[in-house]
Amino acid sequence: MADDSRKVSYGTGINLELKGKIALVTGSSSGLGMEIAKYIARAGATVAIHYHSEKLQAEQLAGEINSNGGKAAVFGGDVSNRAEVEAIFTSIDRQLGSVDILVNNAGIDGKRELCGDDNPDDWERVIAINLLGPYYCAREAVKRMKKSGHGVIINITSVHEFVPWSGYTAYSSAKAGLSMFTKTLAQEVSESGIRVVAVAPGAIKTPINKDVWGNPETYKDLLTKIAMPRMGETSDIAQAVTFLASDMASYITGTTLVVDGGMLIYPAFKHGG
Ligand code: BGC
C-alpha cells in the first residue's frame, strides 16, 4: 500500500528561502560581496551591507534592494579593528536585530611581493583583514547565535586555501588559516545549532583581479588554469553562498565548497603528464 503521509508535490519549487533572517555580508559594497548581498536579499533575508571605504556604493546597493521589495541597511567599519567590529554588530542589533547569517567576505589580495623583498607591514595588513577580520566578526556572531540557538557562518576563502601562490604568501596563508578556522569553529559550535562553512572561489571576474582579466595576455594564461572555458561570475559564488545559508544545507558544516570551474582538477594535465 502507498504511504500517503510521505506524499510530496512535485514541481512546486525548492526552498532556498531566508525570510525572517538577518544577514551580515562584510565587504558588500563591491565585487563578490555585492552579488552575495543581492542574492541573499532576493531569498528574503534582511541584509546588513558592510563597507570599509565605498560608502556611496554601499548606499546605492541598499537603495536598489529596498526599492525592489527587499530590506537592507548600511554599516561602515574596518573588519581588522576589533572595536569597530563590535560597534558594527551593536548597530545591527539596534537597527535590524540579531545576526542569523554571517558572510565573512571582506578581503584583499595585497601586493605581489616575494618574501624577503617585501614590506612586513603589507603582510600584516593582509593577515589582519583576511584572517583577523573574519575571526572578530565570527566571534560577535557566535555570541548572538548561541543565544538564538541557530546561525550560519560562511567564510569566503579561495582556491589558495589549497594552491600555493608565489608572491602572495600572506594571502595564501590567511586563506588556509581561514579554512582551518572554519573547521575548528564548526567543531566548537555544532551543538549550539550553528553551522560554519567555507566557500572557495576560483578566478571570479571582479575588481580584485582586473589587472589579470583586463590584459589579453594574462587573461589567456589564466584560462589555461581553469578546466571550464571561462572565468567565474560573481553569481556563481552568490548562488553557492545562498544555498549554504539555507536550510537545504542543514547537514553541511566544517567543510569547504570549492566553486572554481575546475581549477583544482589540474587542467594542464589534460594534455599529458
Ligand atoms: C584571488 C584572485 C585570483 C584567484 C585565482 C582569488 O582568491 O583573489 O585574484 O584570480 O584567486 O588565482
Side-chain angles (χ1 to χ4, degrees):
M1 273 249 294
D3 178 359
D4 277 350
S5 67
R6 300 192 59 189
K7 221 166 153 187
V8 292
S9 314
Y10 291 95
T12 49
I14 284 179
N15 190 11
L16 282 173
E17 243 187 52
L18 301 176
K19 225 168 239 156
K21 299 278 197 285
I22 294 162
L24 165 62
V25 184
T26 66
S28 46
S29 55
S30 72
L32 279 184
M34 179 180 265
E35 194 75 356
I36 292 167
K38 285 186 191 172
Y39 266 76
I40 285 188
R42 277 169 57 186
T46 297
V47 185
I49 294 165
H50 160 262
Y51 69 92
H52 176 240
S53 32
E54 300 160 329
K55 186 173 187 203
L56 192 66
Q57 271 177 249
E59 283 173 348
Q60 277 167 355
L61 173 62
E64 185 188 318
I65 292 173
N66 286 322
S67 57
N68 285 294
K71 205 171 163 216
V74 165
F75 302 86
D78 178 356
V79 292
S80 67
N81 179 315
R82 185 150 37 115
E84 291 190 27
V85 168
E86 286 169 6
I88 291 169
F89 274 81
T90 309
S91 307
I92 298 174
D93 286 341
R94 268 197 235 113
Q95 284 187 52
L96 306 176
S98 179
V99 164
D100 305 293
I101 298 164
L102 164 66
V103 184
N104 269 322
N105 164 79
I108 57 167
D109 275 5
K111 285 188 205 145
R112 179 162 202 283
E113 289 175 313
L114 297 178
C115 188
D117 299 329
D118 58 343
N119 178 346
D121 291 342
D122 296 337
W123 219 92
E124 284 175 19
R125 186 159 174 265
V126 171
I127 297 290
I129 296 172
N130 294 3
L131 187 55
L132 284 177
Y135 157 66
Y136 293 149
C137 292
R139 201 173 165 266
E140 291 307 308
V142 160
K143 287 187 212 166
R144 289 156 176 85
M145 291 171 178
K146 276 190 174 164
K147 278 192 199 145
S148 58
H150 67 260
V152 187
I153 297 173
I154 300 171
N155 296 320
I156 306 299
T157 59
S158 163
V159 287
H160 298 297
E161 75 165 79
F162 308 102
V163 181
W165 193 16
S166 171
Y168 293 93
T169 53
Y171 184 79
S172 309
S173 304
K175 294 302 188 181
L178 187 54
S179 164
M180 185 48 89
F181 177 64
T182 302
K183 292 184 244 189
T184 308
L185 182 62
Q187 200 183 59
E188 281 185 16
V189 298
S190 288
E191 281 168 20
S192 307
I194 305 169
R195 294 187 294 111
V196 190
V197 287
V199 171
I204 313 298
K205 214 172 205 173
T206 68
I208 213 173
N209 48 18
K210 190 165 191 287
D211 53 331
V212 177
W213 56 262
N215 169 328
E217 233 166 81
T218 48
Y219 180 56
K220 201 171 155 214
D221 175 68
L222 175 64
L223 289 180
T224 66
K225 297 185 171 80
I226 311 171
M228 290 182 182
R230 68 171 178 92
M231 280 189 83
E233 300 292 336
T234 50
S235 57
D236 292 317
I237 304 304
Q239 286 164 21
V241 169
T242 308
F243 160 69
L244 287 172
S246 79
D247 286 344
M248 294 245 327
S250 59
Y251 205 52
I252 303 178
T253 196
T255 192
T256 296
L257 176 60
V258 177
V259 186
D260 70 343
M263 265 191 146
L264 294 188
I265 54 174
Y266 304 102
F269 275 83
K270 206 161 91 181
H271 310 292

